[in-house]
Amino acid sequence: MQNPEKITQKITDFNCCVLIPTYNNQATLDRVIQGVLYYTNQIIIINDGATDATKRILSHYPQLTQIHLEKNKGKGNALRLGMHKAEALGFDYAISIDSDGQHYPDDIPLFIEELENSETRDLLLIGARNLNAKGMPRKNSFANKFSNFWYWAETGFTLQDTQSGFRLYPVKEINKIKFLSTKFEFEVEVIVKASWNGIEVKNIPIRVLYDPDERVSHYRPFMDFVRISAMNTWLFTIAIVYIKPRDFYRKFKEKGFKRFFKEDLIGSEDSNIKKSLSIALGTFIGISPFWGFHSILSIVVAAALKLNKVISFAFSNVSFPIFIPFILYGSLKLGGFMLGRRSLDLHQIDENFKIGVYLFQYIVGSFALALIMAVLFGLAGFIYLQIKTGNKKKVKHG
C-alpha cells in the first residue's frame, strides 16, 4: 500500500472526490468522515433527510461540501445528487462509501491504484466483499448471488459482488445516462446501464465489517426486494428486446459480411454441425411470421439451445426488405398448395393486397417455407464448412 501523501496526490491528479450518502448513521458517520479525511478533503456529504444527530455532527466539518435534504428520498437519489454536484465542481471520478461503518476508508487506495493501472478511464469499480466473512448475514450472501445472476442475464458479464456500496464512478459518463430509480435499486440500475453504455464494470477485493451493535441498515427486506426485482425485470426486458439485438447488430455491421463470415462463421471454434444448426435456426426464424421479433428470438432461442448466437442472429436477417414480397408470395403459394386453396400470382401482391384474407394460408405456408429454407441453408452451410475444413487440413499437412 502506498503512503497517504502519494494517494492524496493521486486522488487530486485524477480529479476524484468521495461521496458519503448518509441517513441516520450518527454512531458511525464521524468515524467514516475521519477515515476518508486521512486521504482527502475532497468530500461531498449528502444528508438524506436524517432525523438523528447527523446535522450536529456535520456542523463540525464546514470545510466539506454538504447537501442537506429536508426529507429522506432514498440512497439512489442521494448518489445521483452527489454525482451531479461532483461534476459541477469539476471532478471526473467519485468514490462512494457508505456511512454505516461497514467499509474501511483505508481501502480507498485500492480504487485509486486500480484506476491508475487500468487501460481504460471509462471504469466503474465495485468493492467485492468476502461474503463468507465472519458475521456476514446469510441473507446478504443470498441477495448478492441473486443480484449477480441478474447482472449476468442483463449484460452478459459476471461479477463477484454487485451490491456493495463502496464504488468508484466515472461521474461525467454516469451523468449522461438516464435513470428511473431513487432508492436502493439505483445501485443495480447504474451498473447495468453503465455496462450497456460501454463503461467497464469490474470488482476489486475490499474488507468489510459487520457490527450488529452499531450498524444501522435502512434496507427493507420486503419492499426493497420488490423494488429491486421490478428493476431487474425491467432491465432484463430491455436487454432482450433492445440491448442484445443492438450489440449483435453493431458487431455484425462493424465487421462487415466478409469479415463476419471469416471470423465468426469459419473461424469460430464451434463444430461445423453446431454452426450449421445455428444457420438453420436463424434462417427458420428469419422467414417465419414473427415480424419485429426475428432478432430477439434468434438470440434467445440460440442461447437456450446452446447454439452460436452471432451466427443465428446474422441469418435471422435473411428477410431483407427487398426479399419480403418474395417471402410473402412463397409463403402464400406454399400455404395454398398445402391447404388446397386457389393459387396467387405475384402481381397480385401489391400495396392493395389484403394479407388478412389469406392470413391462415400465409402462416401455414410461412412455417413450411421457413422449415424448407432452414434445411437447405443448414445443409449448404454444413457442406461449405466441411469443404473449408478439408482444405485447411490439406494446407496444414501439405
Side-chain angles (χ1 to χ4, degrees):
M1 190 75 71
Q2 300 180 30
N3 65 55
E5 290 78 14
K6 285 187 177 180
I7 294 297
T8 300
Q9 186 57 52
K10 287 180 179 179
I11 290 174
T12 302
D13 292 343
F14 278 116
N15 286 327
C16 183
C17 67
V18 177
L19 304 181
I20 307 178
T22 185
Y23 175 64
N24 289 354
N25 285 125
Q26 61 181 11
T28 53
L29 176 59
D30 191 68
R31 187 176 78 227
V32 173
I33 295 173
Q34 288 294 325
V36 176
L37 281 170
Y38 186 69
Y39 295 102
T40 182
N41 61 1
Q42 296 176 172
I43 302 173
I44 300 173
I45 303 173
I46 307 95
N47 171 16
D48 190 21
T51 57
D52 60 0
T54 293
K55 274 193 176 181
R56 179 177 58 79
I57 295 169
L58 295 182
S59 68
H60 299 151
Y61 300 97
Q63 77 278 22
L64 304 181
T65 302
Q66 300 180 22
I67 300 173
H68 292 272
L69 303 179
E70 291 299 320
K71 294 182 179 180
N72 176 255
K73 294 187 177 181
K75 186 180 181 182
N77 180 71
L79 287 170
R80 289 167 64 177
L81 287 174
M83 278 189 271
H84 282 293
K85 184 66 174 179
E87 183 175 9
L89 293 174
F91 293 110
D92 295 319
Y93 296 93
I95 296 174
S96 66
I97 183 170
D98 293 342
S99 63
D100 60 5
Q102 70 164 299
H103 301 141
Y104 289 86
D106 284 345
D107 284 340
I108 286 176
L110 298 175
F111 291 87
I112 300 302
E113 289 168 5
E114 186 66 33
L115 178 60
E116 182 181 30
N117 296 327
S118 175
E119 295 180 358
T120 178
R121 289 293 179 258
D122 290 339
L123 185 66
L124 194 161
L125 299 173
I126 305 173
R129 303 160 294 176
N130 179 4
L131 298 177
N132 297 316
K134 185 179 179 180
M136 173 69 77
R138 286 188 177 181
K139 64 181 181 180
N140 288 44
S141 180
F142 169 77
N144 191 64
K145 289 177 181 177
F146 185 75
S147 182
N148 293 351
F149 165 78
W150 279 113
Y151 179 78
W152 168 80
E154 291 150 5
T155 67
F157 298 104
T158 58
L159 289 174
Q160 178 187 344
D161 189 347
T162 52
Q163 292 194 314
S164 171
F166 205 174
R167 304 179 175 191
L168 178 141
Y169 292 101
V171 293
K172 292 179 181 177
E173 295 304 314
I174 294 298
N175 286 340
K176 293 177 184 177
I177 302 172
K178 292 183 179 180
F179 298 103
L180 300 174
S181 53
T182 59
K183 300 189 184 296
F184 282 108
E185 68 272 20
F186 170 77
E187 290 182 312
V188 172
E189 184 182 16
V190 68
I191 61 174
V192 172
K193 288 188 174 179
S195 180
W196 288 351
N197 283 274
I199 298 170
E200 182 179 356
V201 182
K202 63 186 294 187
N203 284 134
I204 59 170
I206 60 168
R207 296 167 294 164
V208 64
L209 172 66
Y210 274 89
D211 187 340
D213 295 327
E214 69 171 7
R215 181 172 180 263
V216 178
S217 174
H218 302 289
Y219 182 86
R220 300 166 299 173
F222 178 73
M223 283 304 301
D224 287 317
F225 179 78
V226 170
R227 285 178 176 275
I228 290 171
S229 296
M231 176 56 67
N232 277 319
T233 301
W234 172 243
L235 292 172
F236 181 71
T237 302
I238 296 175
I240 293 297
V241 172
Y242 174 67
I243 298 298
K244 292 185 184 295
R246 179 204 69 179
D247 291 347
F248 275 108
Y249 176 73
R250 284 178 177 176
K251 287 180 183 178
F252 181 68
K253 188 177 180 182
E254 180 184 345
K255 289 184 176 183
F257 188 77
K258 186 176 181 180
R259 186 179 161 197
F260 161 80
F261 219 74
K262 184 177 179 181
E263 294 181 6
D264 293 272
L265 186 59
I266 299 173
S268 169
E269 294 181 0
D270 291 330
S271 68
N272 288 344
I273 291 178
K274 190 172 184 178
K275 293 176 187 175
S276 303
L277 288 173
S278 302
I279 292 172
L281 174 64
T283 304
F284 177 82
I285 292 175
I287 294 176
S288 63
F290 298 113
W291 299 104
F293 296 94
H294 290 156
S295 298
I296 302 165
L297 283 172
S298 66
I299 296 169
V300 173
V301 177
L305 298 176
K306 300 188 184 311
L307 296 177
N308 189 305
K309 297 187 289 294
V310 177
I311 294 175
S312 178
F313 170 78
F315 278 85
S316 72
N317 289 280
V318 67
S319 53
F320 288 110
I322 193 172
F323 297 135
I324 289 176
F326 299 99
I327 292 173
L328 284 173
Y329 175 70
S331 298
L332 288 164
K333 195 85 171 175
L334 189 56
F337 173 76
M338 294 175 70
L339 296 172
R341 295 181 178 178
R342 66 185 182 85
S343 183
L344 288 170
D345 293 324
L346 187 60
H347 67 80
Q348 291 179 260
I349 304 177
D350 56 20
E351 67 274 8
N352 299 315
F353 181 73
K354 295 180 180 179
I355 187 67
V357 178
Y358 298 92
L359 184 59
F360 183 67
Q361 179 177 331
Y362 161 70
I363 291 174
V364 171
S366 179
F367 279 117
L369 181 64
L371 183 60
I372 293 169
M373 297 306 294
V375 171
L376 290 176
F377 272 61
L379 282 173
F382 181 75
I383 293 169
Y384 175 80
L385 290 167
Q386 285 290 92
I387 294 171
K388 277 291 187 181
T389 303
N391 289 341
K392 279 187 177 181
K393 287 181 179 178
K394 287 180 182 178
V395 171
K396 186 175 180 181
H397 298 290

